[in-house]
Amino acid sequence: MGKEPREKRLREMMAVIHKHNIARGVTPEKLRLILEDLGPTYIKLGQIMSMRSDIFPKRICDELMRLRSDVTPMPYEEVRSVIEKSYGKAPEEVFAKIEETPIGSASIAQVHRAKLLTGEDVVVKVQREGIYETMFRDIEFLHRAIRLIPPVTRTGFVDMNQVLEEMWKTAQEEMNFLAEAANMEEFARLNESVAYVGCPVLYREYTTMQVLVMEYIDGFEVDDAEALRKNGYDLNEIGTKMADNYIKQIIEDGFYHADPHPGNLRIRDGKIIWIDMGMMGRISQRDRMVLSKVIQGIAEHDISTVVEAVLSIGEFRAKPDQKLLYADISEWLAKYGSAGFGGLNMGTVLQDLMDIMKENKVAMPHTLTMLVRGLTTIEGVIADIAPDINVVQVAAARMTNSLWRDFDWRLELENGGKELYRAVKKGVRIPGYISDLLRSYMNGQVRINLDLHSTEDLSALLNRLIRDVVAGFLIAGLLIGSSILCTTDMKPKLLGIPALGVLGFLLALFLAIGILIDQMRRRRRRR
């Protein structure tokens, strides 16, 4: 991109920043408004940021989830241009008709209703012209801005350049419609045996990196409770089936819809239709087992199970305080463990747990933060149409069924036998270990290593005390030494007093003033 367009874009950005007067501070709401005014690129970046509660404060993530999805549509001439470049021919050679007015316009693409030459009703998702270049340029702006400020973040260990790269990677995946097409095919395959779930039919032969063609879905919006009731639908049944299928996507498939808001769900012919597969989440078998352990730990009120589960997948950026971590998780379990599954909200429970890990300097995988947002969203949708349905209860029932269905007695007996053998083998060695320990003790060779931990406040207090004591000794030494020098006839002299003695007195005075100022500052902070 040339120098002129870059300067123009920079002027636009500065005008938006000036309009919102960030000199008076930036609240979460003001940040959302700024991103909306900066245009489609920043709206998409804000939507991606809203899924990173492991990095950004929860208040900001919650506010960014409110970013408007509808943006100003691009002119139909640009839509034609993108289609022609993708197909190498005019739209009329592929479609019998395309409606010029889009039925939806988002930050990366917009959707038009159309009809194929073979007669099928479809929707055509067309990528915004030049969106890749625009986003690349804006990401470069942000990288440059980060270089101008100290790399200090709320958590103290986040590399914002790395975060930007992750956001750019996510945006690139969403801009590749072939990847979305592959997601649609995988989702359809994993749910083909579920009678009450469907997704749009993909027309792969008409799909490119910039154009996606799929079946047109009519039906009812999932949050249109009145229309659903009038047409004979049971809202509790819809809520139960929606929750059950979403938990299946997570626990069994490891491939789930990461943005299940009402606009991406339809009810048609007795089926729940999931649409817009641009943002899908994956969760490994190991992470699924961890999630199951966490739910088990809540049910059994077992702190050790929860700690063991989350620490097994956490990334340690600093040494956590085990005592504090146990205390925080104990408080978390006390809050949720006695509530009963019927009173729990899974998204809230997991979000609070991730907040605890973040405070204890344990970074959780991005896959789990995306999962928490998805769960929070789907629970909100279900609460609107069927308040009596609880996702945690549905999850517990499905996990129990999956456990018994997938339980392999032979494998469990084999693993149990191996563990028993290892335990017996180690148990046989215990008398020998005790004998060695007693022999070492009798010979005076036993050493005990103590690893003492202190809180940050205690460490800071001890540091201040030691510093003040050392400074006090130094002042006393300077005063005594200077007093002795003053009794001598050492030259040169200043006002009849040895100059070295005067210098000692002055140094002692400056040190004393420094300690006094430091003490006054500390008292002011405490107030």
Side-chain angles (χ1 to χ4, degrees):
M1 179 170 282
K3 182 179 178 182
E4 213 172 292
R6 283 182 179 173
E7 290 180 350
K8 180 183 176 185
R9 178 57 175 161
L10 187 58
R11 285 195 299 271
E12 291 172 354
M13 293 168 68
M14 293 305 296
V16 170
I17 291 171
H18 179 71
K19 170 187 170 184
H20 290 279
N21 195 9
I22 65 170
R24 293 185 177 179
V26 179
T27 63
E29 182 182 7
K30 186 182 285 189
L31 174 62
R32 174 176 61 82
L33 295 173
I34 290 172
L35 293 176
E36 287 181 348
D37 286 351
L38 286 172
T41 299
Y42 287 88
I43 290 175
K44 175 51 62 180
L45 291 179
Q47 290 169 342
I48 296 171
M49 284 170 63
S50 71
M51 296 186 296
R52 298 308 304 266
S53 57
D54 57 324
I55 295 174
F56 303 104
K58 186 176 182 297
R59 286 179 59 238
I60 290 180
C61 292
D62 290 345
E63 184 65 35
L64 293 182
M65 286 181 71
R66 298 177 56 205
L67 277 166
R68 56 186 172 86
S69 56
D70 291 335
V71 298
T72 305
M74 59 180 169
Y76 183 67
E77 291 73 22
E78 292 183 17
V79 174
R80 284 185 59 91
S81 173
V82 173
I83 293 175
E84 286 178 0
K85 289 176 183 176
S86 295
Y87 292 152
K89 50 188 173 184
E92 291 77 13
E93 297 181 49
V94 181
F95 304 101
K97 180 181 72 173
I98 298 183
E99 293 184 1
E100 294 191 10
T101 304
I103 58 176
S105 177
S107 54
I108 283 180
Q110 63 189 48
V111 178
H112 292 257
R113 195 170 173 183
K115 186 184 287 288
L116 293 174
L117 292 174
T118 49
E120 294 90 348
D121 285 325
V122 297
V123 292
V124 185
K125 186 175 181 179
V126 183
Q127 191 174 114
R128 286 183 174 272
E129 192 168 32
I131 186 65
Y132 187 96
E133 292 76 12
T134 301
M135 289 197 77
F136 179 79
R137 176 197 61 202
D138 288 344
I139 289 288
E140 282 298 306
F141 273 137
L142 292 173
H143 274 302
R144 290 180 184 178
I146 287 172
R147 293 190 199 109
L148 298 176
I149 59 176
V152 177
T153 65
R154 179 176 181 269
T155 51
F157 55 74
V158 176
D159 183 348
M160 288 307 298
N161 278 302
Q162 183 181 349
V163 171
L164 270 181
E165 285 302 319
E166 289 180 13
M167 292 168 64
W168 173 231
K169 183 181 177 183
T170 303
Q172 284 178 296
E173 290 172 358
E174 285 199 57
M175 287 187 286
N176 182 0
F177 289 173
L178 291 177
E180 182 174 347
N183 289 340
M184 292 175 66
E185 291 173 330
E186 185 173 358
F187 185 90
R189 176 177 55 80
L190 291 170
N191 290 277
E192 62 184 352
S193 62
V194 185
Y196 57 84
V197 168
C199 65
V201 174
L202 171 70
Y203 292 88
R204 169 68 82 165
E205 63 272 28
Y206 300 113
T207 298
T208 68
M209 285 188 69
Q210 287 81 34
V211 179
L212 179 66
V213 180
M214 70 187 94
E215 172 192 10
Y216 172 72
I217 301 294
D218 45 15
F220 303 98
E221 295 184 0
V222 73
D223 56 351
D224 191 351
E226 186 177 347
L228 289 169
R229 284 197 197 95
K230 283 182 179 178
N231 286 270
Y233 285 100
D234 183 337
L235 298 186
N236 282 335
E237 182 184 1
I238 291 174
T240 301
K241 288 181 174 179
M242 191 183 302
D244 184 67
N245 181 248
Y246 200 69
I247 297 301
K248 171 194 173 292
Q249 293 175 32
I250 296 167
I251 299 296
E252 296 183 15
D253 302 338
F255 182 71
Y256 62 93
H257 201 298
D259 195 19
H261 63 77
N264 286 339
L265 290 158
R266 293 283 188 278
I267 306 298
R268 185 187 70 174
D269 299 332
K271 288 189 174 186
I272 301 168
I273 309 296
W274 299 80
I275 61 177
D276 191 355
M277 306 285 175
M279 193 179 293
M280 303 295 289
R282 292 186 184 275
I283 180 167
S284 67
Q285 179 66 34
R286 177 167 169 265
D287 289 351
R288 279 179 266 168
M289 290 177 65
V290 168
L291 185 60
S292 299
K293 275 190 175 182
V294 169
I295 296 175
Q296 177 189 346
I298 296 173
E300 299 176 357
H301 212 276
D302 187 344
I303 299 176
S304 298
T305 297
V306 176
V307 172
E308 180 186 351
V310 294
L311 290 185
S312 66
I313 60 170
E315 183 180 346
F316 298 88
R317 302 296 178 87
K319 188 175 181 180
D321 186 330
Q322 294 280 351
K323 186 178 179 181
L324 181 61
L325 178 60
Y326 266 78
D328 288 345
I329 291 183
S330 178
E331 185 179 342
W332 173 79
L333 272 178
K335 179 180 179 182
Y336 295 113
S338 58
F341 275 171
L344 293 181
N345 181 297
M346 185 177 282
T348 304
V349 170
L350 293 178
Q351 182 60 61
D352 285 355
L353 178 60
M354 293 188 68
D355 289 342
I356 288 172
M357 304 312 291
K358 184 162 59 176
E359 288 171 8
N360 283 273
K361 299 180 176 61
V362 181
M364 303 306 286
H366 171 46
T367 53
L368 290 186
T369 62
M370 183 181 284
L371 173 62
V372 168
R373 174 185 160 163
L375 283 167
T376 302
T377 305
I378 199 71
E379 284 181 318
V381 173
I382 293 170
D384 287 341
I385 63 170
D388 296 332
I389 304 302
N390 183 268
V391 177
V392 179
Q393 288 179 317
V394 175
R398 174 163 280 278
M399 287 170 61
T400 301
N401 292 335
S402 298
L403 175 65
W404 288 109
R405 185 179 65 248
D406 301 333
F407 193 79
D408 188 334
W409 287 101
R410 181 179 296 178
L411 181 62
E412 289 297 320
L413 287 172
E414 183 180 336
N415 290 338
K418 288 179 180 177
E419 289 182 9
L420 180 61
Y421 170 74
R422 284 195 290 267
V424 170
K425 190 175 180 180
K426 290 178 180 178
V428 171
R429 296 173 182 168
I430 290 175
Y433 292 148
I434 294 175
S435 174
D436 292 341
L437 178 62
L438 291 173
R439 186 182 300 112
S440 298
Y441 175 75
M442 296 297 292
N443 295 333
Q445 296 175 339
V446 174
R447 291 183 180 179
I448 298 175
N449 295 321
L450 294 178
D451 186 9
L452 301 176
H453 298 274
S454 63
T455 64
E456 291 183 5
D457 289 341
L458 180 59
S459 297
L461 175 62
L462 291 173
N463 285 332
R464 286 198 302 269
L465 287 173
I466 292 170
R467 186 182 61 199
D468 291 350
V469 168
V470 170
F473 278 124
L474 186 58
I475 291 171
L478 285 170
L479 289 173
I480 293 171
S482 299
S483 299
I484 293 171
L485 286 173
C486 289
T487 62
T488 67
D489 196 32
M490 182 182 288
K491 296 181 181 178
K493 292 187 176 183
L494 189 63
L495 301 176
I497 303 172
L500 194 58
V502 174
L503 181 61
F505 280 124
L506 289 174
L507 284 174
L509 177 63
F510 287 140
L511 279 172
I513 292 173
I515 291 175
L516 178 63
I517 292 172
D518 189 46
Q519 291 286 346
M520 291 174 64
R521 282 178 179 169
R522 275 187 239 155
R523 287 179 184 174
R524 195 176 295 119
R525 284 197 207 105
R526 281 198 293 269
R527 287 173 189 169

